[in-house]
């Protein structure tokens, strides 16, 4: 049995303690490397913090680029919204919106489920989609996408200028020319409520019924609702003075849709009297494919052609078995120019028509630019003959708020970069000390303000670095030439921050608002480029370099630890062998002593 290393039996030496001391000494390089690794990781974290503050600076810089000294106010934002950009002129404009631009949209017939097959047969077929005069998408329909939802995804993935979706129509009620009227009487005259054509859920149809009745009656006393559980419509008359009688006979499509019996008079009593469906009503159920054009305007109509035979020819008429016979894939065919309307129109493709300062104008979008310099107008709804006024005025306060937000984010970047380049406490290590990337961040960003824009410095219009009354100070222990610490000395750091001199700014705005706006726009764009360069390239590159250094340390620590494990094993082996040798010597010595003692005894007897 070998001798265990511990307190040596033969030597009496505490070999464990000796080995621990030896290993402790040999582990010091690892501890030093791990300490450096921790410091490097603190650097990576600090650069991450700087990146976060720079992201905020980029956001405020972008906002400042778009900021304007002018504001546009619409007299009715339910009809028209307006924004004023740099270059807009003070003034007032009038608008009448006769119609808003709409995007073309179609819907298919009803399918039993979202996974129902669209094309019939086993052979691949083709679908061709085009918006206006745009690119044509030729899509192969086969076993990989031959379902309503699969085809919808394939069309969307192709990005051809349309969006598709599969909708569960639930209870859907369709209003058209044959069922869109409600005839009624208030006891003095007969009136007709006209519902807008389209497809409605029960809830939406109830809202449309109330709107149409109120419009026809010139009041706001009608309300309507739909109970989806009972599938019943309810219509109420809250007029305190007049009963309302519906003039519907048993053949009335509207009465059938609302579930009303017409074999007796249908009366809505004044003061909250109402009528409810006599029986449960049911709209269409199932799934439809809806296809909508991305772009608005009359020219952006959708055309869908089908090649069911796979012969490369699209649409050979509506004859049975043809590419447009409204069976199989041809259920999605829509080509009005060829007389094929197998999908129904949900929304017509229309241009916006409006009057601006008395001029009649047509546009293919509801976002209108270039009517007046720097003015963007969004058409929301028809004005129904009403005139909307847009007033463009100076809004210096709004611009100052944007500048203040920008200055705050700028100062945060500069302050954090400065703090990271200083020791948090006397004698402590500076996290980003000596990092040229940090110093270049500060000099590059601050350097933008030394440039001129349109011949002027930003300081001339009020944006400048100002001395802060707050001083950041700390106690530093200075050392003499022999390295001995001397008395503490207070070191003060004067902080300069970016701020706005509102007097200079207001004066510049009054003299030339366009120049001021242009200077801020140009300065913001230049600074955004600098910030982007650091965010996208320089800081990530530096972080990557530090991360590689951390990886090298990890590798070195691992290698060193492996060598130390072997060294410890070697030490223990050597001490074990030493104990064995000493033990053997002791045994031999004991034997010699016994032999000598025996020889001495023999002599004594003689």
């Amino acid at each position: 049995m070998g001798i265990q290393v511990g307190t040596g039996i033969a030597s009496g030496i505490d070999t464990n303690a000796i080995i621990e001391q030896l290993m402790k000494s040999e582990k010091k390089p690892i501890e030093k490397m791990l300490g450096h690794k921790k410091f490097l990781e603190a650097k990576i974290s600090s650069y991450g913090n700087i990146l976060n503050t720079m992201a905020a600076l980029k956001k405020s810089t972008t906002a400042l680029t778009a900021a304007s000294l002018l504001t546009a106010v619409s007299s009715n934002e339910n009809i028209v919204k307006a924004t004023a950009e740099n270059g807009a002129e003070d003034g007032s404009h009038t608008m009448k919106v006769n119609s808003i631009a709409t995007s073309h949209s179609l819907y298919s017939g009803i399918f039993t489920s979202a996974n129902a097959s669209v094309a019939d047969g086993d052979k691949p077929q083709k679908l061709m989609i085009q918006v206006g005069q745009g690119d044509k998408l030729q899509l192969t329909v086969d076993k990989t996408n031959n379902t309503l939802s699969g085809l919808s995804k394939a069309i969307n993935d192709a990005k051809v200028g349309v969006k598709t979706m599969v909708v569960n129509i639930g209870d859907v009620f369709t209003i058209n020319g044959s069922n869109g009227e409600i005839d009624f009487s208030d006891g003095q005259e007969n009136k007709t409520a006209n519902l807008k054509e389209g497809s409605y859920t029960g809830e939406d149809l109830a809202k449309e019924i109330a709107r149409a009745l109120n419009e026809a009656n010139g009041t706001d006393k009608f309300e309507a609702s739909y109970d989806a559980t009972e599938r019943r419509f309810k219509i109420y008359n809250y007029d305190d003075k007049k009963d309302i009688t519906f003039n519907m006979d048993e053949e009335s499509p509207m009465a059938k849709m609302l579930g009303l019996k017409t074999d007796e008079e249908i009366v809505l009593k004044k003061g909250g009297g109402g009528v409810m469906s006599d029986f449960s009503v049911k709209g269409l159920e199932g799934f439809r494919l809806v296809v909508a054009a991305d772009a608005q305007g009359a020219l952006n109509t959708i055309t869908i052609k089908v090649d069911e035979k796979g012969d490369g020819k699209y649409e050979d008429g509506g004859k049975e078995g043809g590419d447009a016979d409204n069976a199989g894939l041809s259920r999605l065919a829509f080509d009005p120019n060829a007389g094929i309307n197998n999908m129904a129109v949900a929304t017509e493709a229309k241009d916006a028509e409006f009057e601006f300062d008395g001029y009649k104008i047509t546009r293919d979008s509801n976002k209108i630019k270039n009517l007046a310099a720097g003015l963007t107008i969004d058409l929301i709804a028809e004005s129904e003959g009403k005139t909307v006024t847009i007033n463009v005025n100076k809004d210096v306060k709004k611009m100052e708020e944007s500048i203040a937000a920008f200055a705050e984010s700028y100062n945060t970047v500069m302050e954090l970069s400065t703090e990271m380049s200083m020791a948090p406490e006397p004698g402590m290590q500076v996290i980003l000390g000596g990092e040229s990337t940090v110093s270049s961040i500060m000099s590059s960003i601050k350097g933008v303000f030394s440039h001129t824009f349109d011949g002027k410095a930003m300081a001339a219009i009020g944006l400048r670095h100002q001395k802060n009354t707050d001083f950041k100070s700390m106690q530093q222990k200075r050392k003499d030439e022999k390295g001995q610490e001397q008395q503490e000395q207070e070191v003060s750091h004067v902080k300069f921050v970016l701020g706005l001199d509102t007097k200079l700014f207001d004066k510049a705005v009054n003299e030339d608002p366009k120049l001021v706006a242009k200077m801020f726009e140009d300065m913001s764009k230049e600074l955004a480029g600098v910030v982007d360069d650091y965010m996208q390239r320089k800081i990530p590159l530096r972080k990557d370099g530090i991360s590689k250094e951390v990886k090298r340390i990890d590798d070195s620590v691992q290698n060193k630890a492996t060598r130390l494990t072997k060294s410890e094993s070697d030490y223990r082996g050597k001490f074990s062998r030493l104990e064995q040798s000493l033990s053997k010597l002791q045994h031999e010595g004991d034997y010699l002593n016994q032999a000598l003692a025996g020889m001495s005894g023999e002599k004594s007897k003689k």
Side-chain angles (χ1 to χ4, degrees):
M1 180 176 177
I3 296 174
Q4 301 297 313
V5 178
T7 300
I9 295 174
S11 66
I13 300 172
D14 188 349
T15 54
N16 266 343
I18 293 173
I19 292 172
E20 285 175 4
Q21 289 298 316
L22 288 170
M23 297 311 300
K24 185 177 180 180
S25 176
E26 292 195 27
K27 284 180 180 177
K28 284 183 178 179
I30 289 182
E31 292 171 357
K32 185 177 180 181
M33 285 188 287
L34 290 175
H36 187 53
K37 175 187 173 181
K38 186 176 180 181
F39 176 62
L40 292 176
E41 288 173 338
K43 280 193 175 192
I44 293 173
S45 177
S46 297
Y47 271 120
N49 292 335
I50 291 176
L51 271 176
N52 289 337
T53 60
M54 293 191 78
L57 175 59
K58 174 65 186 302
K59 184 177 179 180
S60 64
T61 302
T62 302
L64 188 58
T65 303
S68 174
L69 281 164
L70 297 163
T71 185
V73 179
S74 167
S75 63
N76 191 336
E77 290 200 339
N78 292 323
I79 297 173
V80 171
K81 291 183 179 180
T83 54
E85 301 170 0
N86 293 327
E89 300 281 355
D90 287 8
S92 180
H93 305 279
T94 60
M95 285 197 75
K96 286 183 181 180
V97 183
N98 300 321
S99 65
I100 62 173
T102 54
S103 300
H104 199 208
S105 63
L106 310 171
Y107 63 89
S108 71
I110 299 172
F111 290 78
T112 56
S113 76
N115 294 320
S117 296
V118 181
D120 48 17
D122 298 327
K123 293 182 179 180
Q125 301 174 25
K126 289 188 179 295
L127 198 70
M128 184 170 70
I129 301 175
Q130 183 179 25
V131 178
Q133 298 300 311
D135 294 338
K136 297 176 182 179
L137 165 68
Q138 295 193 61
L139 183 69
T140 298
V141 181
D142 54 26
K143 62 182 180 180
T144 65
N145 58 12
N146 186 23
T147 63
L148 202 61
S149 59
L151 195 55
S152 175
K153 182 180 184 304
I155 294 172
N156 285 332
D157 290 346
K159 294 180 174 55
V160 73
V162 298
K163 295 288 189 300
T164 67
M165 67 171 61
V166 177
V167 295
N168 183 348
I169 63 176
D171 281 334
V172 172
F173 301 86
T174 301
I175 300 297
N176 50 44
S178 65
N179 66 354
E181 296 181 350
I182 302 177
D183 295 323
F184 66 96
S185 171
D186 62 2
Q188 295 180 347
E189 61 177 312
N190 294 325
K191 302 179 180 180
T192 299
N194 294 299
L195 278 66
K196 293 180 179 178
E197 294 188 7
S199 294
Y200 297 88
T201 63
E203 182 181 357
D204 289 339
L205 181 57
K207 292 177 182 178
E208 176 59 16
I209 289 169
R211 183 206 64 78
L213 288 171
N214 283 319
E215 182 180 77
N217 201 41
T219 67
D220 58 357
K221 304 299 183 181
F222 287 102
E223 291 185 9
S225 63
Y226 177 72
D227 188 321
T229 302
E230 296 184 4
R231 285 179 163 171
R232 292 174 183 265
F233 285 96
K234 299 176 183 179
I235 306 173
Y236 300 96
N237 170 31
Y238 287 99
D239 192 315
D240 294 331
K241 298 178 180 179
K242 297 177 181 179
D243 292 342
I244 298 296
T245 303
F246 283 168
N247 302 323
M248 298 182 186
D249 57 32
E250 61 183 8
E251 297 300 322
S252 169
M254 179 55 70
K256 291 179 180 179
M257 181 175 290
L258 298 179
L260 302 176
K261 290 182 179 179
T262 56
D263 54 359
E264 58 185 42
E265 196 173 57
I266 303 171
V267 180
L268 281 69
K269 293 292 186 180
K270 62 186 177 183
V275 61
M276 183 172 66
S277 297
D278 293 292
F279 50 88
S280 178
V281 297
K282 188 176 180 181
L284 299 170
E285 292 184 325
F287 294 80
R288 294 185 192 274
L289 179 69
V290 177
V291 184
D294 294 336
Q296 299 167 336
L299 296 179
N300 293 310
T301 56
I302 301 169
T303 301
I304 303 177
K305 297 182 179 183
V306 173
D307 174 16
E308 291 184 318
K309 296 179 180 179
D311 57 6
K313 297 178 181 179
Y314 289 89
E315 300 172 355
D316 54 1
K319 62 185 180 181
E320 185 176 351
D323 294 329
D325 60 358
N326 208 10
L329 187 60
S330 66
R331 287 175 287 179
L332 304 184
F334 184 83
D335 185 4
N337 293 330
I340 300 169
N341 299 281
N342 294 346
M343 292 188 76
V345 176
T347 309
E348 296 282 357
K350 293 182 180 179
D351 288 334
E353 296 180 359
F354 56 93
E355 295 177 27
F356 183 78
D357 289 343
Y359 292 95
K360 292 184 177 181
I361 299 172
T362 300
R363 292 286 176 90
D364 63 1
S365 170
N366 291 319
K367 183 172 284 295
I368 315 298
K369 294 190 175 185
N370 303 322
L371 286 175
L375 189 64
T376 299
I377 296 170
D378 290 294
L379 307 181
I380 309 301
E382 297 175 7
S383 62
E384 298 178 348
K386 298 175 184 177
T387 299
V388 178
T389 302
I390 300 171
N391 291 311
V392 182
N393 302 301
K394 285 181 184 176
D395 191 350
V396 177
K397 183 179 178 182
K398 183 179 177 182
M399 183 71 167
E400 288 179 348
E401 289 173 352
S402 296
I403 296 170
F406 161 74
E408 182 179 357
S409 59
Y410 169 91
N411 290 330
T412 301
V413 171
M414 300 300 282
E415 184 174 353
L416 181 62
S417 300
T418 301
E419 286 179 359
M420 293 297 178
S421 303
M422 297 165 52
E425 296 291 341
M428 291 184 66
Q429 203 167 15
V430 182
I431 296 176
L432 295 179
E435 285 285 316
S436 60
T437 302
V438 177
S439 57
S440 68
I441 288 173
M442 293 187 285
S443 61
S444 297
I445 292 177
K446 192 173 182 180
V448 172
F449 295 93
S450 66
H451 301 167
T452 59
F453 302 91
D454 291 279
K456 273 191 173 184
M458 297 305 296
I461 59 173
L463 187 65
R464 58 185 183 178
H465 290 88
Q466 304 169 15
K467 184 177 179 180
N468 198 330
T469 55
D470 295 330
F471 293 92
K472 183 168 184 178
S473 61
M474 63 180 178
Q475 301 293 326
Q476 289 187 342
K477 290 183 178 180
R478 300 178 63 83
K479 294 183 179 181
D480 59 22
E481 293 179 356
K482 296 182 180 180
Q484 299 297 316
E485 290 186 349
Q486 295 185 343
Q487 65 180 10
E488 294 181 347
Q489 177 181 354
E490 185 176 274
V491 180
S492 296
H493 300 270
V494 181
K495 188 165 68 173
F496 289 86
V497 297
L498 188 68
L500 183 68
D501 185 325
T502 53
K503 289 183 179 179
L504 274 178
F505 180 73
D506 292 344
K507 181 175 180 290
V509 169
N510 289 329
E511 289 176 353
D512 195 340
K514 287 186 179 180
L515 175 63
V516 171
K518 185 68 166 54
M519 287 178 67
F520 271 97
E521 182 180 351
D522 291 347
M523 180 277 294
S524 300
K525 287 180 179 178
E526 181 175 329
L527 184 59
V530 172
V531 171
D532 267 342
D533 188 38
Y534 279 97
M535 289 183 65
Q536 305 299 327
R537 188 175 66 87
K538 291 182 178 178
I539 292 179
L541 190 64
R542 180 60 186 130
K543 285 180 67 180
D544 183 59
I546 299 172
S547 295
K548 287 178 179 177
E549 192 173 349
V550 169
K551 178 65 168 57
R552 286 194 293 270
I553 290 175
D554 284 337
D555 293 341
S556 296
V557 167
Q558 181 62 43
N559 292 335
K560 185 70 174 175
T562 301
R563 289 198 298 272
L564 287 180
T565 300
K566 185 176 183 304
S567 294
E568 183 176 359
S569 178
D570 290 345
Y571 282 137
R572 292 187 182 279
K574 288 176 181 178
F575 276 105
S576 177
R577 289 191 294 275
L578 174 63
E579 289 294 329
Q580 290 173 356
S581 297
L582 288 173
S583 179
K584 183 178 179 182
L585 289 172
Q586 285 178 348
H587 281 299
E588 291 176 350
D590 290 343
Y591 175 78
L592 288 173
N593 286 333
Q594 290 175 1
L596 290 172
M599 291 173 64
S600 176
E602 286 294 327
K603 282 184 176 183
S604 299
K605 289 178 180 179
K606 292 180 179 180

